[in-house]
Amino acid sequence: TFYEQRPAFHWHPGLLLDGASLQVPFLADLVTLADPASPWSFLNYLRTRDRLFPFYFAERFHIQRAEYDAYCRWVSEQLPGLHFGHQVDAVRWNTERALFEVDFTQLDPDGEAEALGRAYTRHIALGIGTEPFVPEPLRPLAEAESVPVLHSADYLRHRERLLAADHITVIGSGQSGAEIFLDLLRARPEGAEKIHWLARTQAFAPMEYSKLGLEHFTPDYSRYFHALPETARDELVPRQWQLHKGIDADTIAAIHDELYRRTLHGGWPDTTLTPGVHVRTAGRLANTRVELHLEHTQQGTRSRLTTDAVILATGYRERPLDAVLGGLDPYLSRDASHRPRIDDQYRLILDRAVTGHVYVQNAERHTHGVGAPDLGLAAWRSATILNNLTGTTPYPLPERTAFTTFGLTPHHSAPHDTPNGPGLPPTETRATRTTPHPPHPLP
């Protein structure tokens, strides 16, 4: 059984810009990298739509986001046991039944509570994913309505209102910020663009996309990272930002081309692109404008910027598991930073009194590295979970996936039958997946 609080599947609807493509190849669909023969592959989706030949001649390795969204919806509409409009409220361990209790609220089409329910299950897979991150200085403004200060996740819903603003500021140096800046630039008149693009990073930098660099998104690297000491893992993650937070080189080129085109008849576009800047504080001016107080980290200088709209392309953060798993807190094993410990099979490490497993999806960057939220590892992770869940190998997985050898000594996987303490036997398997945010459907 699958629970999801949204009324239907939607994949980042606020960023489905015309022509925007995925940053991973189409092979990173829901199943192919674990089971190329699955009927739920992207290629089979094309076949059912009589679009295989057009796709073949289009020679697209990176498909458009809107197409990926449609493909995922096609899968979700056919899988049995999916319950949309179900908000999971709490998970507890029932000692007498030796089962997990899952409390949920059934929602009506308007998102209002309609009925309460409870389910029992031996195991759980939790895929609550990430949520938009709004920097602290801008949160009060983002929560108000008069001046548009919004996260990039809501960009398309407010695009017309944003374009009507006299001056627009985009904050954030990743792919979303770049795509939104480019979309605004193309929609504004030449010589009167009035767009600021600000970023904390020291440059509008391209994403690391070399073939050997991409091997950081392989199971080999995930295993290596998982075996590192906690302190080493915590030092690595922020240093690897360019592996997943940079800008696609084609998008950078398109931005430069558009800016250059606007100089052909003399003059410069009315745009300002400034990296190395962070927002210290922010406030509202006469309920119609926003004043940003900026600081340049290298110069040590400060300035003020007055603008009519702000788009926060400031990324996402993992949703805290505690909101759903508060009832399991006495059983959870935590690291030095109070984060849940997660084993190499994507299971929360629980007290041995809990004989069921709780698997997590896209909540394990601190234990598995930068590849945790990457679409390219979604099918592998799902297959790993199903193999462990069944105690068999319905999805045989290769032992080696990278040419790079990470580390001087082998990193062996831990025993797969002892997530909740040494010596515990594998349990029987039947899973309820609980989530208030759509994970990738399992094969």
Side-chain angles (χ1 to χ4, degrees):
T1 304
F2 170 96
Y3 294 126
E4 161 58 42
Q5 75 172 15
R6 295 183 183 181
F9 180 90
H10 291 289
W11 189 79
H12 295 293
L15 287 170
L16 298 180
L17 300 170
D18 288 343
S21 63
L22 291 182
Q23 292 175 277
V24 294
F26 73 89
L27 293 174
D29 62 13
L30 301 177
V31 293
T32 295
L33 290 176
D35 182 11
S38 169
W40 308 118
S41 70
F42 177 73
L43 288 179
N44 193 48
Y45 162 72
L46 293 177
R47 185 188 66 83
T48 64
R49 294 295 191 268
D50 292 330
R51 295 180 55 227
L52 267 177
F53 272 91
F55 181 74
Y56 168 60
F57 291 120
E59 296 185 344
R60 291 185 180 275
F61 204 47
H62 294 79
I63 62 175
Q64 293 193 15
R65 284 189 200 148
E67 188 169 28
Y68 181 79
D69 175 62
Y71 152 69
C72 289
R73 191 172 302 107
W74 170 77
V75 174
S76 71
E77 289 171 351
Q78 299 181 76
L79 291 178
L82 272 61
H83 298 281
F84 289 95
H86 283 64
Q87 173 185 291
V88 171
D89 302 312
V91 174
R92 292 178 298 274
W93 177 249
N94 186 311
T95 305
E96 294 181 358
R97 295 188 180 216
L99 295 171
F100 290 107
E101 291 179 350
V102 180
D103 289 346
F104 60 84
T105 301
Q106 188 172 340
L107 307 175
D108 64 20
D110 296 323
E112 299 296 328
E114 194 171 56
L116 301 178
R118 174 174 294 173
Y120 292 91
T121 179
R122 290 188 58 81
H123 307 293
I124 291 171
L126 188 67
I128 62 175
T130 58
E131 61 186 354
F133 171 71
V134 177
E136 186 66 38
L138 290 154
R139 285 179 190 171
L141 299 178
E143 293 169 357
E145 291 292 331
S146 56
V147 179
V149 177
L150 55 97
H151 194 273
S152 57
D154 296 319
Y155 173 67
L156 280 183
R157 189 158 58 95
H158 297 277
R159 184 175 181 271
E160 294 308 312
R161 182 186 179 195
L162 292 165
L163 286 174
D166 183 57
H167 183 279
I168 308 172
T169 300
V170 179
I171 300 176
S173 62
Q175 183 69 18
S176 298
E179 289 177 353
I180 288 171
F181 176 81
L182 179 60
D183 184 65
L184 293 171
L185 180 63
R186 287 171 169 168
R188 306 282 273 189
E190 293 188 20
E193 294 86 357
K194 296 185 180 180
I195 310 172
H196 263 67
W197 185 15
L198 308 174
R200 292 178 64 96
T201 55
Q202 299 307 313
F204 295 104
M207 185 174 293
E208 166 57 66
Y209 209 74
S210 67
K211 289 178 171 58
L212 291 179
L214 289 175
E215 290 195 338
H216 286 84
F217 300 96
T218 59
D220 279 12
Y221 183 76
S222 294
R223 286 192 290 261
Y224 160 77
F225 186 91
H226 188 272
L228 291 174
E230 180 185 331
T231 53
R233 294 198 302 252
D234 288 346
E235 290 173 0
L236 261 178
V237 170
R239 296 209 309 260
Q240 295 177 324
W241 67 270
Q242 212 166 337
L243 287 169
H244 61 104
K245 290 186 178 179
I247 305 170
D248 174 76
D250 289 341
T251 306
I252 292 177
I255 289 171
H256 193 276
D257 288 347
E258 183 63 27
L259 292 170
Y260 178 75
R261 186 185 66 79
R262 291 170 182 246
T263 70
L264 294 181
H265 302 294
W268 289 70
D270 186 6
T271 58
T272 303
L273 290 71
T274 310
V277 173
H278 73 274
V279 179
R280 293 172 47 249
T281 59
R284 200 174 301 278
L285 292 178
N287 288 328
T288 59
R289 308 195 79 192
V290 168
E291 184 177 80
L292 304 175
H293 297 195
L294 310 177
E295 182 171 3
H296 195 282
T297 53
Q298 291 180 342
Q299 287 183 330
T301 53
R302 293 182 175 182
S303 180
R304 295 182 180 184
L305 171 64
T306 302
T307 187
D308 299 287
V310 180
I311 302 151
L312 303 170
T314 45
Y316 298 79
R317 296 291 187 275
E318 290 177 357
R319 283 188 171 88
L321 297 177
D322 295 348
V324 174
L325 298 182
L328 295 179
D329 188 65
Y331 304 103
L332 279 173
S333 175
R334 298 182 182 272
D335 65 16
S337 298
H338 205 63
R339 298 166 301 197
R341 294 174 61 208
I342 302 168
D343 74 7
D344 66 338
Q345 300 296 293
Y346 302 98
R347 299 172 296 192
L348 293 180
I349 297 178
L350 302 170
D351 186 274
R352 63 176 64 230
V354 180
T355 56
H357 302 321
V358 178
Y359 299 90
V360 296
Q361 303 193 78
N362 196 3
E364 70 279 4
R365 183 178 294 176
H366 63 290
T367 57
H368 287 69
V370 294
D374 189 74
L375 292 180
L377 282 174
W380 173 282
R381 180 177 55 204
S382 298
T384 300
I385 291 172
L386 283 170
N387 287 349
N388 182 264
L389 194 63
T390 60
T392 60
T393 53
Y395 297 97
L397 300 173
E399 286 296 319
R400 184 173 180 179
T401 55
F403 291 114
T404 305
T405 300
F406 298 101
L408 295 177
T409 56
H411 39 280
H412 299 293
S413 297
H416 295 171
D417 60 345
T418 60
N420 300 351
L424 291 180
T427 56
E428 295 179 10
T429 57
R430 188 159 187 86
T432 292
R433 302 172 61 225
T434 117
T435 170
H437 184 73
H440 307 292
L442 293 176

